[in-house]
Amino acid sequence: TDMQAALGIHQLPRIERYLKRREEIWKRYDEAFRNLPVITPAPAAPETRHARHLYTLLIDIDRVRKSRDEIQQALHRENIGTGIHFSSVHLHRYYRETYGYKVGDFPNAEYISDRTISLPLSAKLTDADVSDVITAVRKVLS
């Protein structure tokens, strides 16, 4: 839209600097979470440029012995905001009511949905902020 374009055009001068900062944070997260019971995001494919928009963890909830929601709440108690960006679409009310979908219809989608959490990732995070996220995640998942 014109409104989005008006906002976006003023962000373009910062795009490279912000991407570089998100890449720095991404690398710190990858290193910090390497030995935790999680799967970190896959590396970017060769010859691609990744936006580094969301940093998600796929949690081994069997090893952690906590649900994704319990982990999210524990991180909240540590003052770390997280996101749930991958909820199984077929379990949203509209799809359940319109098409009759239910738990078990798409087990792979449910598996990922039940175990994925997004961590703070912003070019405006300070090094101290990133350290706080890392410390809290390690505490909650260790």
Side-chain angles (χ1 to χ4, degrees), residues 5 10 15 19 40 57 60 80 84 91 98 127 129:
H10 295 288
I15 197 167
L19 177 59
T40 57
L57 295 176
D60 185 342
I80 304 301
I84 305 300
L91 296 179
T98 304
D127 287 342
D129 294 333

Side-chain angles (χ1 to χ4, degrees), residues 53-100:
H53 174 62
L54 291 175
Y55 190 95
T56 58
L57 295 176
L58 181 68
I59 303 161
D60 185 342
I61 60 175
D62 295 326
R63 285 180 51 200
V64 177
R65 297 185 180 189
K66 296 177 193 167
S67 71
R68 182 217 43 213
D69 293 344
E70 290 171 322
I71 292 163
Q72 184 182 39
Q73 291 165 6
L75 288 169
H76 179 75
R77 286 190 295 276
E78 297 291 323
N79 295 314
I80 304 301
T82 58
I84 305 300
H85 288 94
F86 303 108
S87 297
S88 297
V89 173
H90 70 287
L91 296 179
H92 290 232
R93 187 173 77 186
Y94 172 81
Y95 294 96
R96 287 191 330 264
E97 292 176 359
T98 304
Y99 300 106

Side-chain angles (χ1 to χ4, degrees), residues 10 13 21-22 25-27 30 33-34 47 53-54 56 61 67 69 76 91 98 113 124-125 134 136 142:
H10 295 288
R21 177 61 181 153
R22 287 193 309 273
I25 296 166
W26 194 281
K27 287 177 186 174
D30 277 348
F33 307 142
R34 183 177 319 251
E47 306 300 320
H53 174 62
L54 291 175
T56 58
I61 60 175
S67 71
D69 293 344
H76 179 75
L91 296 179
T98 304
S113 176
K124 295 184 179 183
L125 291 174
I134 290 168
S142 294

Side-chain angles (χ1 to χ4, degrees), residues 105-134:
D105 284 346
F106 298 94
N108 292 335
E110 293 169 31
Y111 182 93
I112 292 170
S113 176
D114 291 345
R115 291 163 174 78
T116 302
I117 194 165
S118 300
L119 299 179
L121 181 65
S122 165
K124 295 184 179 183
L125 291 174
T126 65
D127 287 342
D129 294 333
V130 175
S131 293
D132 288 345
V133 172
I134 290 168

